[in-house]
Amino acid sequence: RIGWSMLQDLVEFRWCRSVILLSCCLFPLAHARRRRRRMPLQFRSVDNSQVRAFVGVGICIGSLSLPAWILLPVFIDHKIAADPALPGLTEETLTITTTAIFGGWVVGSLFLQRLISALDKAQLIVAGCMGLLLVALATATLPHLTAGNLAVFTAVRFTQGLLLNIVFLETVYVQEAVPPGWGNAALVSANVGFCLVDISQAFLCGGPMLFWDWRLQTLLFQSVPLLLALLIGFPNRWEILCSLPTASKALWKKHEVSDESPNLTAKEWHHGMALASGFLASCSGFWGLSYSAGQLSSNKYKSMMFFSVADIFGYLLALSASSLGRSRVQAGAFFLATLCLFLCSIGEPGSALVMGSAMLGRICLDLCFTTIYVFIEIFSESARKKVLPACEMTMRIGGTLVPYAGTLPPSVSCKLFSFLCLAAALGSLQLPDQPHSAVKKLAD
């Protein structure tokens, strides 16, 4: 009954319907110029390995598994805090453990380049899936075995953050596996699948599974998709596991460091800092709204469902950014997100103004979360190797503030997100639309 009432509210809320209708109106307008240049769809033959890569890795990991590993703490941490067998884990201390997830994500990214140079992507993904399966088992068992020891649970979630770097590997693996020209469609499909799974996860946690034991929810949501990924995506998973000890020996070999890469020019520094502000605002605002769902409304499950519905339209709108000018679209989206998040900070939590503004701001952040990666094209090949890791590091450092921001009232957290979006909007206006290759050809 609870779940059915949530679905009715999702359809009947006027402000939710207004935001969706606005997005539906903007989508065909944004595509108007793109239709003139659209080419007929060319169907290519797809072999079994490509299907396995997309379904087993892109869908099972990117769509089915990631919502549980990143957002499940929003739904189950209050159950952990209320468990009488875990006196060391309270609402306040669990914020520390959630921060450890994003902290582990930052630390793990420092070693990612070395791992990629020594091991194959398939080896890293299989090893990451096996590690996350062990983390899921530890999450469900160790807290009761240690009477809710804070240090142990923090270490488990920090390890979870380390292994979550397979998100980047999963994206690259699918992009390389699918036929040429299908990479963007595969990425959008995985993102839309992520949103649909998040809606289902919020619906189940707030409805049929509301009174389930949190350990059973953890094992179900975090383990099953990874098992499917190993079964579907990697039929030779046992051979890959057996090859890891031999392949890992390359990690201990010294690599000669080349100093031939030139330093960044003043213009590249300027553009890099402007782009880094976009990475910081996109991550902080996007995940900040997710972790603040309980502050924006009394029903965090319903809020997460609304956000995920908005995400779908945001990802679809991102497909039209290039036809309208990426820098103008991104700057406009950040400016609109600034306004929406400021309205969230002054409105009454749970009101139509707050939730409607949050959904529209979420759509804008979805669009920006997609376009910021495309702006890497404005840098030269040598500069990209420095700018992209720096931007990724900035984004993940900003993510470490998200769990704490989720404990603050919207009058504080949303004002912070609004300020970051304003800085990113001003920075986006400094970015050129033309890629570096086109500028160099014009100069020649």
Side-chain angles (χ1 to χ4, degrees):
R1 286 198 298 269
I2 295 173
W4 177 247
S5 65
M6 288 172 62
L7 284 179
Q8 288 180 319
D9 289 340
L10 183 63
V11 176
E12 294 174 0
F13 272 10
R14 294 179 180 177
W15 51 267
C16 176
R17 189 164 25 188
S18 300
V19 172
I20 295 175
L21 288 176
L22 176 63
S23 303
C24 291
C25 293
L26 290 175
F27 184 64
L29 289 176
H31 272 273
R33 292 178 60 186
R34 193 181 180 203
R35 287 197 194 100
R36 300 172 189 171
R37 308 189 191 102
R38 185 169 293 172
M39 300 297 291
L41 183 63
Q42 300 291 331
F43 289 97
R44 303 177 178 88
S45 59
V46 181
D47 56 33
N48 290 335
S49 63
Q50 293 171 330
V51 174
R52 285 182 177 275
F54 175 68
V55 176
V57 180
I59 299 300
C60 292
I61 296 180
S63 299
L64 298 180
S65 180
L66 290 185
W69 287 104
I70 300 176
L71 297 174
L72 190 61
V74 178
F75 302 133
I76 67 170
D77 274 7
H78 72 282
K79 293 184 178 182
I80 299 176
D83 195 330
L86 308 175
L89 300 178
T90 63
E91 292 281 358
E92 292 76 17
T93 57
L94 282 172
T95 303
I96 300 174
T97 67
T98 311
T99 305
I101 297 176
F102 290 91
W105 210 339
V106 173
V107 175
S109 63
L110 299 176
F111 305 98
L112 192 57
Q113 186 174 0
R114 182 63 182 272
L115 289 171
I116 292 176
S117 64
L119 300 173
D120 184 70
K121 294 182 183 65
Q123 293 174 321
L124 291 173
I125 293 175
V126 170
C129 289
M130 296 300 297
L132 287 174
L133 286 172
L134 294 176
V135 168
L137 182 61
T139 302
T141 57
L142 286 182
H144 281 81
L145 294 177
T146 59
N149 186 282
L150 177 61
V152 173
F153 197 56
T154 302
V156 171
R157 286 196 161 176
F158 181 80
T159 306
Q160 172 183 332
L162 289 174
L163 295 171
L164 277 180
N165 281 281
I166 66 169
V167 175
F168 173 75
L169 298 171
E170 167 263 326
T171 303
V172 176
Y173 184 84
V174 173
Q175 295 289 310
E176 294 177 351
V178 297
W182 288 25
N184 191 38
L187 182 60
V188 172
S189 300
N191 288 337
V192 172
F194 180 100
C195 300
L196 294 175
V197 173
D198 192 29
I199 293 173
S200 303
Q201 183 175 260
F203 169 73
L204 292 173
C205 290
M209 296 183 178
L210 183 61
F211 302 106
W212 278 33
D213 190 294
W214 66 270
R215 292 170 291 180
L216 184 58
Q217 287 178 280
T218 299
L219 290 174
L220 179 63
F221 286 118
Q222 293 185 346
S223 300
V224 174
L226 292 177
L227 292 173
L228 291 176
L230 292 173
L231 291 173
I232 299 174
F234 303 97
N236 58 334
R237 52 195 170 275
W238 181 248
E239 296 177 6
I240 294 176
L241 283 174
C242 293
S243 66
L244 285 174
T246 304
S248 61
K249 294 179 181 179
L251 292 172
W252 313 109
K253 295 181 180 179
K254 292 185 178 181
H255 296 269
E256 296 183 0
V257 180
S258 175
D259 296 329
E260 296 178 358
S261 58
N263 294 326
L264 297 179
T265 64
K267 189 176 183 180
E268 288 174 335
W269 268 105
H270 178 71
H271 290 162
M273 294 180 67
L275 185 59
S277 67
F279 273 78
L280 177 62
S282 298
C283 178
S284 301
F286 182 87
W287 296 118
L289 285 175
S290 296
Y291 277 81
S292 300
Q295 300 287 343
L296 295 171
S297 172
S298 57
N299 192 329
K300 58 187 174 184
Y301 307 103
K302 193 182 300 181
S303 298
M304 289 296 293
M305 293 174 70
F306 294 151
F307 290 158
S308 296
V309 171
D311 289 340
I312 295 175
F313 293 99
Y315 288 132
L316 295 177
L317 283 172
L319 296 174
S320 305
S322 59
S323 62
L324 300 176
R326 285 193 296 263
S327 60
R328 289 177 294 174
V329 169
Q330 182 168 298
F334 272 129
F335 273 121
L336 185 56
T338 300
L339 176 61
C340 292
L341 292 172
F342 181 76
L343 292 176
C344 289
S345 68
I346 63 175
E348 184 70 23
S351 64
L353 173 66
V354 169
M355 294 305 299
S357 299
M359 288 185 67
L360 187 55
R362 182 82 168 213
I363 291 175
C364 297
L365 290 171
D366 289 325
L367 190 153
C368 296
F369 222 143
T370 305
T371 57
I372 54 176
Y373 284 96
V374 184
F375 275 105
I376 295 298
E377 297 177 353
I378 68 176
F379 298 96
S380 62
E381 290 292 337
S382 60
R384 291 177 193 179
K385 298 178 181 179
K386 298 180 179 180
V387 174
L388 182 57
C391 289
E392 286 276 354
M393 185 61 62
T394 303
M395 179 178 68
R396 291 174 183 177
I397 291 175
T400 59
L401 305 176
V402 166
Y404 175 71
T407 64
L408 301 174
S411 59
V412 178
S413 60
C414 288
K415 278 191 176 73
L416 173 62
F417 303 147
S418 177
F419 172 77
L420 293 175
C421 288
L422 178 60
L426 296 175
S428 298
L429 292 174
Q430 311 300 317
L431 299 174
D433 281 328
Q434 289 185 325
H436 180 268
S437 57
V439 175
K440 185 177 180 182
K441 185 182 294 185
L442 183 62
D444 294 339

